[in-house]
Amino acid sequence: MSFRPLIGACFSALAVGFLSAAVLAWSSGLSAQRPPPSLGPGGIGALTNTAPAGYVGSATCAGCHATETKAWLTSQHAHAMSRAEPQTVLGNFDDIRIAHRGSSARFFRDGPRFMVETEGADGKTATFEITDTFGIHPLQQYLVTFPDGRRQALPFAYDTRSSAEGGQRWFHLYPDQAIPPSDALYWTGAQQNWNFMCAECHSTALRKNYDPASNRFDTRFSEISVGCESCHGPARGHLDWTRGTRAPSAPNKGFASVAALRPPADWTIDPATGNPSHGASRPAGDVVETCARCHARRGIFSEDWRPGQPLTQTHLPTFLSEGLFEADGMMQDEVFNDHSFKQSLMYARGVTCGDCHEPHSAKLRAPGSAVCGQCHQTEKFVSQAHTGHTPGPKAPDCISCHMPARTYMVVDKRHDHSFRIPRPDLSVRLGTRNACTDCHTDKSAQWAASAIEHWHGPERKGFQNWGGAFHDARLGDPAARDALIRLATTPATPAIVRATAVAELRGFPSIATDAALQKALADPDPLVRIAAVESAAGLPFDIRWRRLAPLLTDPVAGVRIEVANQLAEQPLAQLPPIDRDRLSAAFKEYEAAQRLNADRPEGRSNLGVFLLRQGDVAGAEAEFRAGLKLGAGFPALAVNLADLYRFTGREREAQDVLREAIKTDPDAAAPRHALALALIRQKRYDEALAELQRAYELSPDNARFAYVYAVALQSLGRVQDSVTVIDKALGRSPNDADLLTLALNAALRSGNAARARDVVSKLLLLRPDDAEIARLAAQLR
């Protein structure tokens, strides 16, 4: 099991303060509802008495950096989180009631306290004190602190926009969903937990401090909101440097580390193109990596972040995965800005976040599209020859065409930062969105594609050219293999795209694929190396060891941790001292990463599987059981624990775990599938078939469930029913090799040579190096 299931610390449920809504949506920092506050004891910028060593607080920084502090006080960073007080609460608490799909809330005051009356964890109405505000514009959420240290976000938020914009109202964050207390999205559930989901990016120098033994949090921070040291790191050494108690020659002016500085950039515009003639080199660990810490969809495995290091030293970014991103890489789910920006030609040319956004206020360096005019010739790009629209107040601008927006959390409009050329022609082929029909909602993608061809000719331009490869890969189309290999092995391809291509290639085994994956192990970008290490899963262990052991000394922790995961079966005692020490250190890093996330079922599941592969059955069982206590509705944990019981001959306990999981979540397919396999081992075929059928019905897109169900039908003599299931499953997964193999066998048994030739030709495309398939194809010609 990959380390990657820890991804998800940035779900949409609590994302208002991840501040990744590309500051383009922020019109005036704090908005006109509150004046910028001043620094003061116990207030904004104040150092808490639980701050880690080395932190001094933004109020201290203000003594020498008054200009930067003044700008920061107007930013959303400074107000990402605050204690619930009259000067920070923007919502209407004048005994306001709101209802939503069977739930309700009443917001009122109890003297100085802000209160809510709503359903609690047991579904019964109770009264709770609101302890903290969360975010400021365009909405503000509210947190309730529980005795076990958990801070939970309420499902009702306040729209802080003006009345003219539709704001100044309470609303539910999931308007189309009824969320019962058993759901992880319920406000007291795991997905609404501030300590894990949000705290790192809403506070400074956060230490989660989860105690697994008591299942309690003692979460602490140096500042309640996002202060200077969130980006610059602890400033005690710098303060000593300014006071002369540290040598004037101390590196980084006393800071332990700093973000790498880009060399001076030349953005001189080429009159012929209207674009800058030159780019700039991008040093490793530059300011973009600092921003990425909170402006990326990622999981955390270490709290020891410092500026100047790659994000993968402490966090694991997701790939451009299906469900999170469109096939062409545009944002789909709430993924924030980093992944989009790193796909852009601007990033490739050396542009940083600070070129467009003033880093302390987070405001644009020029209003609206004027910010683009810093580097691009405005007159050329506002012309009708470029846009196809008559210039004027209602004409589309750079942002509307090259940064199409999506709205999250009901009211939060965010712009895609990949700065792509609109490609409605790709929408026709791939089903992706495009900026043209986002505006012309009554028109088709083909209409828009034809219009652009009329304006600019038949040749389509654009830096982002990977949509077709990822679209085909998601369909399992073998035609994707060569395109993915080109993406994975071309240095000029953005690293996030190379990493995604490597991850996708695992579904297309071949000699050429294997060569590309081996090459990726030496890629200069750590995320690509991580993807390549993950791709080694399933290889014979001796090959895995030979390929991955050299990466035990990789300079990036994220790589070493994934190597440890892939080599978990290796007994340390069998290794020579140097290899033993390196692998032991990596094992410790992996285990520490999972224990940091011991408050999550995913973390417990990861660690349990890791321990089981190392032969620690008792330790694995303890982790699986602890994980189920954290989230009884987490099907993967139940299946893992059941497999452990089966492995140790405890079939009855395995069934009990699976039946309890089904009882908790009747619509979870995986426990039913696993229960069916247990029943088959007991030769209780009728019961097993019923569970296999139900798993298939609950998850019809799961090709594996369909395959096993079809095999079971075939084994029980229901051949035609089996063929029907195979055909339906191939309609959803037309390139699944296992289903195609079943279809081939069925065609051969029935004497349908034409069908057999068709199927074997598809298998040969999927497995071009399989000699047995090649031999069969030759026989059928």
Side-chain angles (χ1 to χ4, degrees), residues 16-17 34 76 78-91 93 114 129-137 139-145 151-154 158 160 170 194 198 202-203 221 224-225:
V16 78
R34 291 288 190 275
Q76 292 201 22
H79 305 272
M81 183 173 167
S82 299
R83 294 294 300 169
E85 297 170 344
Q87 65 270 28
T88 62
V89 173
L90 303 181
F93 279 77
F114 293 86
E129 180 182 2
I130 289 170
T131 56
D132 306 277
T133 67
F134 204 63
I136 189 167
H137 185 80
L139 70 156
Q140 187 173 69
Q141 289 181 266
Y142 300 96
L143 305 181
V144 173
T145 302
R151 282 183 168 104
Q152 301 290 139
L154 290 163
Y158 194 75
T160 61
W170 290 98
W194 166 87
C198 325
H202 279 264
S203 301
F221 38 70
I224 194 170
S225 203

Side-chain angles (χ1 to χ4, degrees), residues 7-88:
I7 290 292
C10 312
F11 282 85
S12 59
L14 288 181
V16 78
F18 277 96
L19 306 175
S20 54
V23 192
L24 290 171
W26 303 351
S27 57
S28 59
L30 282 178
S31 83
Q33 294 174 330
R34 291 288 190 275
S38 57
L39 295 169
I44 190 169
L47 189 71
T48 67
N49 57 12
T50 60
Y55 286 83
V56 301
S58 298
T60 300
C61 304
C64 295
H65 301 282
T67 300
E68 292 81 2
T69 300
K70 183 178 179 181
W72 169 73
L73 283 170
T74 69
S75 75
Q76 292 201 22
H77 284 130
H79 305 272
M81 183 173 167
S82 299
R83 294 294 300 169
E85 297 170 344
Q87 65 270 28
T88 62

Side-chain angles (χ1 to χ4, degrees), residues 372-383:
C372 308
Q374 295 180 116
C375 298
H376 301 276
Q377 192 176 66
T378 303
E379 297 78 10
K380 182 179 182 66
F381 294 110
V382 299
S383 68

Side-chain angles (χ1 to χ4, degrees), residues 354-396:
D355 289 318
C356 299
H357 301 283
E358 198 287 319
H360 296 98
S361 69
K363 295 176 183 177
L364 286 173
R365 291 192 178 273
S369 289
V371 74
C372 308
Q374 295 180 116
C375 298
H376 301 276
Q377 192 176 66
T378 303
E379 297 78 10
K380 182 179 182 66
F381 294 110
V382 299
S383 68
Q384 187 168 352
H386 178 72
T387 69
H389 295 72
T390 303
K394 295 185 179 180

Side-chain angles (χ1 to χ4, degrees), residues 155-221:
F156 297 98
Y158 194 75
D159 185 342
T160 61
R161 299 174 301 164
S162 68
S163 298
E165 296 173 294
Q168 300 302 297
R169 64 188 177 95
W170 290 98
F171 67 97
H172 198 281
L173 289 163
Y174 298 91
D176 300 323
Q177 294 177 250
I179 302 175
S182 59
D183 195 313
L185 282 175
Y186 190 71
W187 78 273
T188 60
Q191 298 300 77
Q192 307 290 356
N193 173 243
W194 166 87
N195 309 73
F196 172 80
M197 297 290 290
C198 325
E200 183 195 12
C201 291
H202 279 264
S203 301
T204 302
L206 187 101
R207 297 297 181 265
K208 185 166 60 173
N209 291 337
Y210 173 72
D211 178 16
S214 62
N215 190 26
R216 297 174 63 89
F217 289 92
D218 184 22
T219 303
R220 302 182 177 197
F221 38 70

